[in-house]
């Protein structure tokens, strides 16, 4: 005989006056979490009680109900109702909907635990759909946020999921796509593009949110890009452009979706700036979003000069300077500080600065042959580089017949009958010499060659005996090539090449490039305008200045770049030797692993860098992070660690600094078995596979550095 199934009898619901309810100590919730009591009270005041209290009757000694009920489950609602009573918004005896447990088949602690443990938070997709419905019913973001005690950003984030393809939302509902991935897709509202990207990543091992964002924004421009900053978000959106924003991650202002429109706006604005600068009298104005490093190579630069001071201004300047020096000297001997004296010194200093900072202007004659480069700085501001003269615009002197010919012919015809020209030099004719019918003929080329060869060897021998003049001659040849257009003015066949590395983005913004440019422009201003005066200038300048100028010129020829198409193991080994001799270190030079640099590396590389610099434990702390977060945290961890990537490190082998390339000619030989020992570690494989240095050269023989190097 089958046993009858016992039917479940539910606990009855009753309305019990609030003042007969007491909070039970059997409630398992002890830690505050989620919505506060104050917020819950506000919600109950707006929409009334949505969930009954779970109560039990308190029994007397005789086992009968006392009329009082304890609340083991629903304590926060009980306290919120009490707060409304204190605020005079609810009567003390207001009937409260309650579920009364008289069976006592379970304990109060168990009921309290069950009510909290069996409750599940709303699925984000359901929350999104609910927020969307409320939005469609007319509630704005702030009102929704206020009613549900969440931030407006949270509401915007949930509503932003509306931009995700319904197909992807369905996959999320089926747990086939993670919330983090869905959030990444929300930065783009093109459903077809979203589905295309998902189709690509779903079959790949690369499914991280950062990679999804990269694919969705690969044709966009970041808002901190120089082009976006220059145009501005307001002008871009006014032209119909759309800015993609990531509400779930820090996006620094988002991405400008229409790169073509942005480029158009950039060039239109640059055109306006170009026309404005062109009205200033320059021969040409060239504009571009950015120019490669070394784009002014081969050009001479002219500089603006300060306006001339009048006689009265000079007298005023001298008087101010004398007064400042006297007051400063007297104040230096004073025992106590004096605000009036300090104020007067500041005033005099400001007036002197005004003289030094007086307007500068270019010579109209120079502007007529010079031009301007207009570009965007790294910060998006307009950057104007003025005063560059192209070789073809250089003024040409009248040909008086004494200039060197392109063919290098050392002879010329007879002069005016009173001079004889040999090797392009005029000389006095011999008054007593017999003249042939057609006059004295030039010497044969063969004789001129023989004589000048003898003279050359004799001069070499003499120059070898005077190290000081040899230094000036070498410096003269280098300066001609670095600062002047034509190096043929030197008899020394010394050539200097200087790579510009224009293919490297952001190189011009580094501190080293800026220092080189400032130093170069400083020398460019000091050197004589006419190259014919350079020799005398170098002889007259002090020795310290000559050495500094020589070091500057030589430094511009240094090339330690590792290029896949031009492997130079011996040259790079020498760069390591030179760095060791200089005591050079990239950390001391100011290089640090930035977030941008680390972002170009794989996650494995980032973790390896942290492991090398800080040990295994810090690396483990970030190995679960997304790549962009990992790069930011790694940059923080690596700060001050002196960590360098392999290409920036010197060889760990101390022998690389013990070899003197000036005394040991075999040290850098490609067939030397010890050659690998002086190579940087990351190039040892290159040395092993190459026994001879390739002959490929960088750049043209005549290429050299100029003012904007």
């Amino acid at each position: 005989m089958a046993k009858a199934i016992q039917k479940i009898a539910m606990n009855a619901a009753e309305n019990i006056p609030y003042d007969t309810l007491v909070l039970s100590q059997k409630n398992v919730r002890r830690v505050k979490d989620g919505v506060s009591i104050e917020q819950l009270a506000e919600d109950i005041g707006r929409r009334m009680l949505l969930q009954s209290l779970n109560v039990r009757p308190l029994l007397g000694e005789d086992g009968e109900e006392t009329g009082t009920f304890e609340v083991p489950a629903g304590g926060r609602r009980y306290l919120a109702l009490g707060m409304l009573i204190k605020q005079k918004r609810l009567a003390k005896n207001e009937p409260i909907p309650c579920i009364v447990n008289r069976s006592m088949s379970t304990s109060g602690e168990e009921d309290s635990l069950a009510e909290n443990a069996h409750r599940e938070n709303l699925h984000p997709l359901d929350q999104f759909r609910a927020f969307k419905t409320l939005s469609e019913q007319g509630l704005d973001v702030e009102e929704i946020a206020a009613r549900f005690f969440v931030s407006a950003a949270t509401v915007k984030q949930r509503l932003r999921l509306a931009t995700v393809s319904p197909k992807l939302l369905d996959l999320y509902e089926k747990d086939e796509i993670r919330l983090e991935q869905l959030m990444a897709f929300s930065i783009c509202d093109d459903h077809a593009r979203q589905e295309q990207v998902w189709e690509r990543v779903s079959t790949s091992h690369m499914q991280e949110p950062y990679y999804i964002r990269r694919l969705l924004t690969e044709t966009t421009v970041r808002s901190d890009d120089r082009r976006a900053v220059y145009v501005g978000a307001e002008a871009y959106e006014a032209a119909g452009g759309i800015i993609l924003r990531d509400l779930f991650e820090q996006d620094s202002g988002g991405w400008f979706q229409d790169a073509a429109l942005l480029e158009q706006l950039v060039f239109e604005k640059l055109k306006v700036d170009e026309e404005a600068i062109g009205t200033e009298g320059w021969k040409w104005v060239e504009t571009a979003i950015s120019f490669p490093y070394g784009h002014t190579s081969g050009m001479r630069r002219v500089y603006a000069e300060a306006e001339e001071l009048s006689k009265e201004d000079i007298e005023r300047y001298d008087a101010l300077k004398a007064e400042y020096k006297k007051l400063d000297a007297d104040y230096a001997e004073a025992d106590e500080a004096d605000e009036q004296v300090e104020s007067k010194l500041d005033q005099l200093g400001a007036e002197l600065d005004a003289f030094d900072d007086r307007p500068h202007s270019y010579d109209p004659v120079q502007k007529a042959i010079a031009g301007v480069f207009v570009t965007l700085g790294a910060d998006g501001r307009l950057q104007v580089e003025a005063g560059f003269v192209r070789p073809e615009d250089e003024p040409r002197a009248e040909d008086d017949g004494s200039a060197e010919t392109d063919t290098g012919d050392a002879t010329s015809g007879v002069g005016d009958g009173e001079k004889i020209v040999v090797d392009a030099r005029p000389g006095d004719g011999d008054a007593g010499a017999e003249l042939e019918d057609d006059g004295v003929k030039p010497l044969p080329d063969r004789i001129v060659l023989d004589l000048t060869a003898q003279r050359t060897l004799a001069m070499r021998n003499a120059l070898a005996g005077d190290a000081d003049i040899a230094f000036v001659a070498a410096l003269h040849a280098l300066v001609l090539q670095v600062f002047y257009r034509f190096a043929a003015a030197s008899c020394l066949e010394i050539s200097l090449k200087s790579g510009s590395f224009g293919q490297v983005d952001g190189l011009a913004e580094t501190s080293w490039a800026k220092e080189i440019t400032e130093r170069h422009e400083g020398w460019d201003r000091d050197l004589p305008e006419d190259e014919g005066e350079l020799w005398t200038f170098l002889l007259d300048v002090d020795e310290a200045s000559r050495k500094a100028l020589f070091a500057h010129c030589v430094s511009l020829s240094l090339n330690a770049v590792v290029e896949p198409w031009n492997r130079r193991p011996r040259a790079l080994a020498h760069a390591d030797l030179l760095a060791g001799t200089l005591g050079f270190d990239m950390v001391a030079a100011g290089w640090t692993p930035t977030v941008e640099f680390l972002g170009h590396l794989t996650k494995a590389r980032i973790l390896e860098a942290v492991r090398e610099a800080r040990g295994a434990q810090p690396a483990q702390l970030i190995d679960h992070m997304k790549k962009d977060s990992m790069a930011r945290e790694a940059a923080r961890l690596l700060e001050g660690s002196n960590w360098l990537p392999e290409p920036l490190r010197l060889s760990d082998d101390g022998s690389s600094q013990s070899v003197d390339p000036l005394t040991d000619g075999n040290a850098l030989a490609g067939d030397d078995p010890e050659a690998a020992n002086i190579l940087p570690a990351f190039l040892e494989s290159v040395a092993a596979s190459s026994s001879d240095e390739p002959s490929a050269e960088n750049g043209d023989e005549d290429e050299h550095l100029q003012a904007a190097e």
Side-chain angles (χ1 to χ4, degrees):
M1 181 176 180
K3 186 177 180 180
I5 299 175
Q6 185 177 1
K7 293 184 179 180
I8 298 173
M10 295 291 177
N11 292 326
E14 301 179 19
N15 288 335
I16 300 175
Y18 181 84
D19 56 4
T20 64
L21 301 175
V22 295
L23 186 63
S24 173
Q25 297 304 310
K26 297 175 182 178
N27 193 309
V28 298
R29 185 186 290 273
R30 294 286 187 268
V31 180
K32 292 183 179 180
D33 188 27
V35 178
S36 69
I37 301 299
E38 294 81 4
Q39 292 173 337
L40 182 57
E42 285 298 319
D43 191 70
I44 293 174
R46 178 184 296 114
R47 69 184 86 257
M48 307 308 152
L49 200 63
L50 297 179
Q51 187 177 358
S52 302
L53 304 183
N54 187 303
V55 303
R56 293 166 178 251
L58 290 177
L59 304 178
E61 294 179 358
D62 55 359
E64 298 296 325
E65 294 185 11
T66 62
T68 302
F69 297 82
E70 64 174 348
V71 185
R76 298 177 73 252
R77 278 163 279 156
Y78 172 83
L79 294 174
L81 291 168
M83 184 171 290
L84 291 174
I85 292 173
K86 288 181 179 179
Q87 296 172 355
K88 310 291 186 183
R89 298 168 64 186
L90 190 69
K92 291 182 179 180
N93 59 352
E94 177 71 25
I96 306 300
C98 298
I99 302 295
V100 184
N101 183 358
R102 286 189 169 89
S103 66
M104 306 291 186
S105 59
T106 57
S107 67
E109 289 85 354
E110 183 179 347
D111 287 356
S112 177
L113 178 61
E115 183 183 76
N116 289 283
H118 294 168
R119 182 171 53 192
E120 188 172 350
N121 289 332
L122 197 64
H123 192 281
L125 188 57
D126 291 329
Q127 190 182 40
F128 143 66
R129 288 168 174 160
F131 282 169
K132 182 181 179 185
T133 300
L134 294 177
S135 178
E136 292 171 349
Q137 291 175 355
L139 295 181
D140 59 22
V141 170
E142 287 72 19
E143 182 64 19
I144 296 173
R147 290 192 179 188
F148 294 94
F149 309 107
V150 295
S151 67
T154 299
V155 178
K156 290 179 181 179
Q157 288 172 353
R158 294 295 180 258
L159 292 176
R160 187 60 173 270
L161 295 178
T163 63
V164 179
S165 164
K167 292 183 179 180
L168 299 182
L169 293 177
D170 291 341
L171 292 175
Y172 175 52
E173 189 172 358
K174 299 174 184 176
D175 291 330
E176 295 181 18
I177 184 173
R178 304 195 312 273
L179 177 60
E180 294 79 7
Q181 294 171 316
L182 202 67
M183 290 157 56
F185 279 110
S186 71
I187 66 173
C188 170
D189 57 4
D190 186 342
H191 291 178
R193 177 61 178 160
Q194 291 172 356
E195 293 167 11
Q196 180 185 27
V197 170
W198 174 248
E199 183 178 355
R200 175 174 173 180
V201 302
S202 61
T203 57
S204 166
H205 67 282
M206 290 290 291
Q207 298 184 6
E208 295 299 318
Y210 80 86
Y211 184 63
I212 294 173
R213 290 188 185 91
R214 181 184 300 176
L215 293 178
L216 289 171
T217 60
E218 60 185 355
T219 60
T220 65
V221 179
R222 287 191 64 88
S223 62
D224 54 3
D225 183 275
R226 68 181 72 193
R227 295 167 292 174
V229 175
Y230 177 62
V231 171
E234 185 176 346
Y236 170 76
E237 290 180 314
I242 298 174
I243 298 179
L244 306 180
R245 299 191 184 278
D246 190 346
L247 298 182
F248 301 93
E249 295 284 344
Q250 178 63 37
D251 63 7
S252 301
W255 296 265
F256 286 47
Q257 184 178 24
D258 195 337
L261 173 62
L262 179 61
E263 292 271 348
Q264 177 186 340
L265 295 174
V266 169
F267 287 121
E268 288 176 357
K269 190 173 181 181
L270 277 175
K271 187 67 176 177
V272 173
D273 291 328
E274 176 184 342
E275 292 175 353
I277 295 172
T279 60
E280 299 174 6
W282 297 103
K283 180 170 184 178
W284 52 267
V285 179
E286 187 173 335
T287 58
I289 293 175
S290 64
F291 290 105
Y293 182 63
H295 63 283
T296 59
S297 179
M299 300 185 192
R300 177 170 63 91
R301 189 170 189 179
V302 297
Y303 297 94
E305 299 292 340
E307 294 181 356
E308 292 291 333
L309 292 175
S310 65
K311 182 179 179 180
E312 292 77 11
D313 288 336
I314 294 175
E315 292 176 353
R316 173 63 178 163
Y317 180 83
D318 291 340
L320 287 171
K321 193 170 183 179
E323 183 180 0
Y324 182 91
K325 285 184 176 181
K326 183 179 184 304
L327 187 60
D328 186 50
D330 293 342
Y331 188 51
E333 298 177 358
D335 296 330
E336 297 180 357
D338 190 326
E339 291 185 3
Q340 291 185 346
V341 174
E342 290 180 358
S343 177
K344 182 62 175 178
L345 285 172
D346 290 340
Q347 177 188 342
L348 294 173
E351 292 187 51
L352 289 171
D353 289 341
F355 278 100
D356 295 333
D357 297 337
R358 64 188 183 278
H360 286 60
S361 60
Y362 288 88
D363 185 339
V365 176
Q366 293 179 329
K367 292 177 71 172
I369 63 172
V372 180
F373 289 103
V374 181
T375 184
L376 302 182
D379 57 358
R381 297 181 181 180
L382 197 68
Q383 186 170 302
V384 179
E385 296 177 308
F388 292 96
V389 183
R390 291 168 172 164
E392 60 269 24
D393 295 330
E394 291 285 1
R396 302 296 182 183
E398 292 294 331
D399 187 3
D400 58 2
S402 63
E404 296 181 29
T405 63
D406 292 339
T407 61
D409 187 2
T411 63
S412 68
V414 179
D416 57 4
E418 299 177 355
K419 303 284 186 182
I420 299 176
V421 179
V422 179
D423 193 18
R425 300 170 187 272
D428 292 332
D430 185 354
E434 281 190 59
L435 296 178
E436 299 183 12
D437 294 340
D438 297 329
V440 178
K441 294 181 179 180
L443 291 173
D445 292 346
R446 178 64 185 181
I447 295 177
V448 172
L449 189 151
D450 290 346
L451 292 175
T452 53
Q454 295 175 44
R455 179 172 182 262
T456 297
L457 287 183
M459 287 183 64
R460 284 183 179 181
N461 191 46
L463 186 60
D466 195 327
D468 292 336
I469 298 301
F471 178 83
V472 174
L475 176 60
H476 178 257
L478 296 179
V479 172
L480 284 172
Q481 296 175 67
V482 172
F483 291 94
Y484 297 86
R485 310 289 77 75
F486 308 104
S490 173
C491 64
L492 270 62
E493 294 183 338
I494 296 176
S495 62
L496 180 146
K497 294 186 299 180
S498 180
S500 62
F501 319 121
Q503 72 275 19
V504 181
D505 293 334
L507 199 58
E509 279 77 39
T510 63
S511 60
W512 316 299
K514 292 176 180 178
E515 286 185 25
I516 291 172
T517 299
E518 291 175 3
R519 183 168 57 247
H520 192 90
E521 290 182 355
W523 279 115
D524 200 12
R525 291 174 184 270
D526 293 340
L527 292 172
E529 189 74 20
D530 185 356
E531 67 184 40
E533 301 174 4
L534 177 61
W535 180 259
T536 303
F537 173 86
L538 295 177
L539 288 175
D540 293 341
V541 77
D542 61 274
E543 183 179 2
S545 297
R546 277 200 297 265
K547 288 182 177 180
L549 180 56
F550 182 81
H552 174 67
C553 293
V554 171
S555 70
L556 299 180
S557 68
L558 191 151
N559 186 351
V561 175
V562 178
E563 299 165 320
W565 61 87
N566 184 22
R567 299 192 181 279
R568 306 169 298 133
R570 289 182 291 171
L572 295 172
H574 176 251
D576 235 12
L577 284 170
L578 179 58
T581 305
L582 288 170
F584 174 81
D585 178 74
M586 280 298 286
V587 172
W591 189 91
T592 56
T594 62
V595 176
E596 182 180 8
F597 163 75
L598 293 169
H600 291 310
L601 305 182
T602 63
K603 292 179 71 173
R605 279 277 186 180
I606 297 174
L607 292 173
E608 180 62 21
V610 175
R611 195 175 293 112
E612 288 180 350
R614 298 300 187 190
Q617 186 175 2
Q620 291 175 355
L621 293 176
I622 66 172
D623 62 2
H624 67 285
M625 293 182 175
K626 296 178 289 185
K627 184 177 177 181
D628 49 357
S629 299
M630 180 185 289
R632 287 194 295 269
E633 187 62 19
R636 186 188 67 80
L637 289 170
L638 292 174
E639 185 176 356
S641 68
N642 294 344
W643 177 85
L644 291 172
E646 293 94 326
L648 298 186
R649 303 174 188 172
L650 287 178
S651 172
D652 293 333
D653 189 343
S655 63
S656 67
Q657 297 185 24
S658 64
V659 178
D660 186 351
L662 299 179
T663 60
D664 190 348
N666 294 324
L668 301 179
D671 57 357
D672 188 340
E674 300 297 324
N677 291 335
I678 61 175
L679 281 174
F682 73 100
L683 287 175
E684 288 183 357
S685 59
V686 177
S689 62
S690 175
S691 60
D692 294 312
E693 182 178 354
S695 59
E697 296 291 342
N698 252 350
D700 187 80
E701 284 285 340
D702 294 328
E703 183 180 349
H704 55 279
L705 187 69
Q706 279 303 321
E709 176 72 5

